[in-house]
């Protein structure tokens, strides 16, 4: 049911990323190309990793993750960037199996944390995450720099600004 993605899976992962973006009401925000994903997942220095959930017909979901590091625990952890199961396959245990596989990676490697973000309006996912024992980090707020703000802080002109 769960397996490590291969380079041949990049097209289906790319498609599911776009499906996830549409679900999260940001279909135009998913700009990563297959070439970028191939390099990030399977290049000389992979920056991320992926697992696929499959049924008899093929891939039905994926989890894309990367290692982070906690200065408080002194250990690495897993940050789950994307978890997605296609709507017609939800409720079949694929999401839980993907999360369990990532939890197993954490335990086997001695990682202290397994973290991810969820949109505050996504009640089905929030309920699911709570049901497996995950706890929201309500005191924390995610901050992000992109576009002009990122380039301004770096002191570099944003040549890609429209």
């Amino acid at each position: 049911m769960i397996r490590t993605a291969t380079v041949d899976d990049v097209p289906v992962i790319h498609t599911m990323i776009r499906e996830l973006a549409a679900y999260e009401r940001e279909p135009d925000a998913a700009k990563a190309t297959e070439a970028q994903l191939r390099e990030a997942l399977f290049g000389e220095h992979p920056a991320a990793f992926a697992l696929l959930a499959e049924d008899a017909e093929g891939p039905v979901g994926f989890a894309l993750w990367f290692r982070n590091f906690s200065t408080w625990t002194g250990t690495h952890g897993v940050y789950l960037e994307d978890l997605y199961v296609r709507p017609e396959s939800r409720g079949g245990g694929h999401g839980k199996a993907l999360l369990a596989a990532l939890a197993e990676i954490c335990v086997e490697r001695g990682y202290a944390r397994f973290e991810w973000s969820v949109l505050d309006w996504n009640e089905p996912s929030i309920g699911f995450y709570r049901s497996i024992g995950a706890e929201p980090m309500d005191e924390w707020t995610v901050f992000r720099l992109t576009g002009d703000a990122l380039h301004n802080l770096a002191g570099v002109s944003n040549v890609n600004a429209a």
Side-chain angles (χ1 to χ4, degrees):
M1 181 188 237
I2 304 301
R3 67 173 176 81
T4 300
T6 68
V7 70
D8 293 333
D9 296 315
V10 169
V12 74
I13 293 169
H14 184 256
T15 297
M16 287 192 283
I17 288 170
R18 299 193 57 76
E19 292 171 13
L20 174 60
Y23 174 77
E24 291 185 348
R25 305 174 187 164
E26 293 279 351
D28 297 327
K31 298 185 185 308
T33 66
E34 286 186 23
Q36 288 172 314
L37 289 173
R38 193 172 294 104
E39 179 62 26
L41 294 169
F42 302 104
E44 186 174 343
H45 302 286
F49 309 91
L51 299 175
L52 284 183
E54 293 183 315
D55 66 14
E57 285 79 49
V60 297
F62 79 102
L64 194 142
W65 62 279
F66 55 89
R67 282 189 336 166
N68 59 14
F69 183 80
S70 168
T71 58
W72 288 23
T73 67
T75 63
H76 287 286
V78 163
Y79 187 85
L80 176 62
E81 179 66 19
D82 288 333
L83 175 69
Y84 179 72
V85 175
R86 289 182 158 150
E88 63 274 12
S89 298
R90 292 181 188 154
H94 304 292
K96 186 173 183 179
L98 285 163
L99 291 173
L102 289 171
E104 187 176 340
I105 288 169
C106 286
V107 171
E108 286 175 353
R109 297 180 186 182
Y111 297 171
R113 294 180 178 167
F114 176 17
E115 300 176 314
W116 61 91
S117 297
V118 61
L119 291 165
D120 59 8
W121 57 260
N122 192 345
E123 288 298 327
S125 293
I126 292 169
F128 168 63
Y129 298 145
R130 287 180 186 270
S131 78
I132 62 168
E135 298 177 8
M137 302 297 292
D138 293 332
E139 295 123 12
W140 293 87
T141 300
V142 175
F143 279 81
R144 178 179 294 162
L145 277 172
T146 62
D148 287 339
L150 175 64
H151 286 83
N152 289 341
L153 184 60
V156 178
S157 174
N158 184 0
V159 297
N160 295 323

